[in-house]
């Protein structure tokens, strides 16, 4: 390791509960065993599973509808049930990893994810599938926070920067690959499994990751673990459910009374959560999400950009899957493969990120946002001028530009958020970050998806899609503005 690498390693000194955090200084190495290359591949494999599963179901929804006679409301619950359970429990999953060991929670999460995926694949009816998807989301919430927390605790310097960039690349590529893989599996109809294969494929992958993790992933935990903050957990769950559930299910259910009442609960639950967390930290207890973490500029500013980025990305993936299949009559495989250029360029851009950010700092995120905006505008132009004869090759250039922009944004944002986190709070900090990302994805499906589906009857698929893309372009503009609040130098 070079001198530069050592100087890049920052930690936060131990401080009294409730006191203001200090800026990390000094140079330290991880106190836990180092994560090997195979260990990093193993944890990233586990991370890819829940990321893929959020999107893999999109291209399978028409087939699920025909097979199980699900209807619009239950189909949205298949998507939303996973996303809501995932978002609500992520911070709890991070805290449990700090307490009982991140490797142990990673193994439990993998096993639970494999079993719940099997339950999804064998579901005899739509309601059983919904219940299994909720359980699968809960398993994902146990699994995913342990990945970033393990990377944070077992790497340092340039190796940590590369590992976080690879995690960010995995997050973006897995999201797009989910729809490509979903289309491939549905079209292949392996042994007559049809849509069930999109869930059953997780079982052998989880088993392989579990065996590898037993040999390659070191155990880490917080040196001063705390109990789960029950009041904070309940209030966070109420806040997220009251926001996400009506947005994701209201339209499909015909906007019943509860879909209007629940959003009114959200601001009160969110305010109560903030008050309870502040009181807990002042009293010397460890809250679910320590407010002091948000006083770190890297955490506060990074999360502020991750939220609109994830909102736009989640909405884009959902709307595009529907538009390609229902509007352009692409099959599941063709709809998935249309995203292949985005996957490729996202991955390579994420690999280039560490070298670029070392030279240009936060300007890389600004450049990525502008490139992403150019890709979205080009995509909207293709749909405007070539509809209804839009082919996958016609989309390729715009998709490739879009992938470059996204690949220069997300991995660097994740690195920024983690850069000043105390090692003892790696789990809760990672959980809070992934919760923000997941809530943003779910909000994107709910808001941009609802906008698209609401405009569909009056405007048609083409114009509704263009409006949704321009709405996402507005979130990219917000991202570009917020990048100026990020730290100038990215550690």
């Amino acid at each position: 390791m070079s001198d530069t690498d050592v100087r890049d390693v920052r930690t936060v000194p131990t401080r009294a509960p409730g006191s203001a955090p200090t800026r990390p200084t000094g140079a330290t190495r991880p106190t836990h065993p180092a994560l090997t290359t195979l260990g990093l591949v193993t944890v990233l494999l586990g991370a890819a599973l829940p990321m893929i599963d959020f999107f893999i179901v999109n291209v399978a929804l028409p087939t699920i509808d025909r097979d199980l006679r699900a209807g619009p409301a239950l189909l949205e619950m298949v998507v939303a049930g996973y996303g809501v359970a995932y978002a609500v429990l992520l911070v709890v999953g991070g805290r449990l990893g700090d307490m009982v060991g991140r490797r142990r929670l990673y193994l439990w999460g993998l096993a639970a994810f494999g079993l719940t995926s099997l339950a999804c694949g064998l579901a005899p009816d739509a309601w059983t599938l919904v219940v299994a998807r909720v359980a699968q989301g809960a398993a994902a919430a146990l699994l995913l926070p342990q990945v970033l927390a393990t990377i944070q605790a077992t790497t340092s310097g340039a190796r940590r920067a590369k590992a976080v960039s690879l995690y960010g690349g995995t997050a973006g590529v897995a999201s797009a690959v989910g729809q490509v893989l979903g289309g491939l599996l549905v079209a292949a109809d392996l042994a007559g499994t049809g849509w069930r294969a999109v869930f059953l494929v997780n079982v052998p992958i989880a088993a392989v990751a579990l065996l590898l993790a037993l040999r390659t992933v070191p155990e880490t935990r917080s040196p001063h673990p705390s109990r789960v903050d029950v009041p904070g957990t309940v209030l966070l769950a109420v806040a997220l459910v009251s926001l996400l559930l009506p947005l994701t299910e209201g339209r499909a259910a015909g906007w019943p009374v509860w879909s209007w009442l629940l959003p009114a609960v959200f601001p009160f639950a969110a305010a109560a959560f903030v008050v309870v967390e502040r009181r807990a930290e002042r009293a010397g207890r460890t809250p679910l999400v320590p407010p002091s973490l948000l006083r770190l500029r890297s955490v506060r500013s990074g999360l502020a950009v991750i939220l609109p980025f994830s909102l736009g990305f989640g909405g884009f993936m959902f709307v595009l899957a529907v538009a390609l299949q229902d509007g352009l009559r692409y099959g599941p495989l063709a709809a998935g493969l249309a995203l292949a250029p985005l996957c490729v360029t996202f991955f390579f851009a994420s690999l280039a990120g560490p070298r670029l950010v070392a030279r240009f700092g936060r300007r890389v995120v600004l450049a990525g946002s502008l490139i992403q905006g150019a890709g979205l505008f080009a995509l909207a132009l293709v749909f405007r001028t070539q509809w209804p004869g839009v082919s996958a090759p016609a989309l390729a250039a715009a998709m490739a530009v879009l992938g470059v922009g996204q690949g220069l944004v997300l991995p660097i944002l994740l690195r920024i958020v983690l850069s000043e986190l105390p090692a003892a709070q790696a789990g809760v900090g990672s959980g809070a970050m992934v919760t923000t990302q997941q809530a943003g994805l779910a909000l994107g499906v709910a808001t941009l998806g609802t906008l698209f589906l609401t405009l569909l009857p009056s405007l048609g698929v083409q114009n509704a899609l263009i409006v949704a893309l321009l709405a996402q372009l507005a979130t990219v503009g917000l991202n570009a503005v917020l990048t100026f609040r990020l730290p100038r130098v990215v550690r």
Side-chain angles (χ1 to χ4, degrees):
M1 178 178 294
S2 67
D3 292 339
T4 302
D5 293 340
V6 174
R7 286 195 299 270
D8 275 344
V9 184
R10 311 290 177 108
T11 60
V12 172
T14 303
R15 57 183 178 85
S19 63
T22 56
R23 183 169 296 278
T25 58
T28 75
R29 296 179 184 270
T31 57
H32 300 288
L35 188 66
T36 65
T37 299
L38 184 56
L40 176 61
V41 170
T42 300
V43 294
L44 292 179
L45 178 61
L49 283 173
M51 296 173 187
I52 287 173
D53 242 63
F54 186 88
F55 294 97
I56 197 171
V57 74
N58 283 347
V59 293
L61 289 176
T63 312
I64 294 173
D65 190 18
R66 288 193 300 269
D67 190 21
L68 300 183
R69 299 180 179 86
L74 284 180
L75 282 179
E76 289 207 18
M77 288 182 71
V78 169
V79 178
Y82 178 86
V84 171
Y86 192 5
V88 165
L89 296 173
L90 271 166
V91 179
V92 178
R95 173 58 57 80
L96 290 174
D98 287 346
M99 290 171 56
V100 304
R102 292 151 192 156
R103 176 179 180 270
R104 181 177 297 178
L105 256 292
Y106 179 81
L107 295 173
W108 290 356
L110 271 176
F113 195 85
L115 290 173
T116 52
S117 296
L118 181 63
C120 289
L122 299 178
D125 54 62
W127 274 110
T128 304
L129 178 58
V130 168
V131 172
R133 281 284 282 174
V134 171
Q136 191 185 35
L142 288 181
L143 169 62
L144 195 60
Q146 317 316 324
V147 176
L148 276 174
T150 298
I151 290 172
Q152 185 77 352
T154 59
T155 60
S156 62
R159 182 168 175 78
R160 177 182 295 172
K162 183 177 180 181
V164 173
S165 294
L166 286 171
Y167 173 88
T170 301
V173 172
S175 304
V177 164
Q179 296 194 178
V180 176
L181 181 61
L184 180 63
L185 291 172
V186 172
D189 192 21
L190 301 171
T193 53
W195 61 267
R196 298 178 187 276
V198 304
F199 301 113
L200 295 176
V201 71
N202 293 331
V203 179
I205 297 174
V208 169
L210 191 66
L211 292 174
L212 287 174
L214 287 169
R215 299 179 61 86
T216 63
V217 178
E219 182 63 281
T220 67
R221 58 169 54 86
S222 172
H224 306 291
S226 304
R227 294 181 179 179
V228 172
D229 172 16
V230 175
T233 301
V234 171
L235 286 170
L236 179 62
V238 171
L240 288 174
V241 170
S242 63
L243 176 64
L244 296 177
L245 190 60
L247 286 174
T248 53
E249 285 300 305
R251 186 199 62 82
W255 299 111
V257 174
W258 63 262
S259 69
W260 296 99
L261 294 178
L262 274 182
V265 174
F266 170 72
F268 297 101
F273 174 73
V274 172
V275 169
V276 166
E277 299 298 273
R278 284 178 175 171
R279 286 179 178 173
E281 192 165 44
R282 282 198 297 266
R285 300 190 300 273
T286 305
L288 185 68
V289 181
S292 58
L293 286 182
L294 297 179
R295 296 182 202 135
L296 293 169
R297 183 183 178 189
S298 58
V299 175
R300 184 177 64 252
S301 60
L303 293 181
V305 187
I306 285 175
L307 183 59
F309 175 89
S310 300
L311 189 152
F313 187 77
F316 170 80
M317 299 297 283
F318 175 80
V319 167
L320 193 67
V322 174
L324 292 179
Q325 292 186 85
D326 291 350
L328 295 176
R329 302 300 175 188
Y330 281 26
L333 179 58
L337 289 177
L339 289 164
L342 185 151
C343 300
V344 173
T345 56
F346 190 113
F347 182 72
F348 284 106
S350 68
L351 292 181
R355 184 175 300 174
L356 292 172
V357 82
R359 182 173 180 183
F360 300 108
R362 72 183 183 190
R363 286 176 291 177
V364 177
V365 182
L366 175 60
S369 297
L370 296 177
I371 294 170
Q372 183 186 4
L376 278 173
F377 185 79
L379 200 60
L381 195 61
V382 170
F383 286 125
R384 179 72 181 86
T385 58
Q386 298 189 31
W387 193 279
V390 182
S391 63
L395 297 173
M399 286 288 191
V401 172
L402 191 58
V404 170
Q406 292 171 341
L408 292 177
V409 173
L410 182 60
I412 295 172
L413 289 176
L414 301 181
R415 178 177 167 184
I416 288 172
V417 173
L418 292 174
S419 63
E420 295 181 349
L421 276 180
Q425 292 179 316
V428 67
S430 301
M433 183 177 69
V434 180
T435 296
T436 302
Q437 184 183 2
Q438 189 63 35
L441 291 172
L443 276 172
V445 173
T447 53
L448 293 182
T450 298
L451 173 67
F452 171 75
L453 295 172
T454 301
L455 294 176
L456 205 55
S458 58
L459 297 185
V461 178
Q462 178 191 17
N463 291 326
L465 173 60
I466 291 172
V467 170
L469 291 176
L470 294 179
Q472 189 193 352
L473 193 57
T475 69
V476 174
L478 177 60
N479 280 350
V481 172
L482 290 173
T483 59
F484 291 100
R485 299 178 63 87
L486 295 172
R488 290 181 179 274
V489 178
V490 181
R491 297 184 177 91

